[in-house]
Amino acid sequence: MSFLIDFATRSHRQNDSAYREALAMLQGMSARDRADIGIKQADFARIAREMSRR
């Protein structure tokens, strides 16, 4: 049971906010912008993870 409590109360990693910001930026792009740079919505999570690492 203590594992669940520790898991629920653990602090968020430093790059979680950077991941959320990158994902919001990608989602805020228009379909035309995404087509110009050649990304699809299915790639958003992977791209946001890569962006947050930098």
Side-chain angles (χ1 to χ4, degrees):
M1 187 64 160
S2 66
F3 169 76
L4 293 176
I5 293 170
D6 291 341
F7 183 72
T9 59
R10 70 182 170 97
S11 62
H12 295 285
R13 294 188 311 227
Q14 192 83 19
N15 64 349
D16 282 352
S17 62
Y19 172 78
R20 279 186 252 120
E21 290 171 7
L23 194 58
M25 184 193 74
L26 289 169
Q27 290 173 340
M29 294 173 70
S30 69
R32 180 180 223 107
D33 290 338
R34 291 192 303 260
D36 284 346
I37 60 175
I39 62 171
K40 297 180 180 168
Q41 194 166 4
D43 298 330
F44 283 6
R46 179 185 53 82
I47 294 170
R49 275 194 304 272
E50 290 173 1
M51 290 171 66
S52 68
R53 289 182 194 141
R54 295 180 184 177

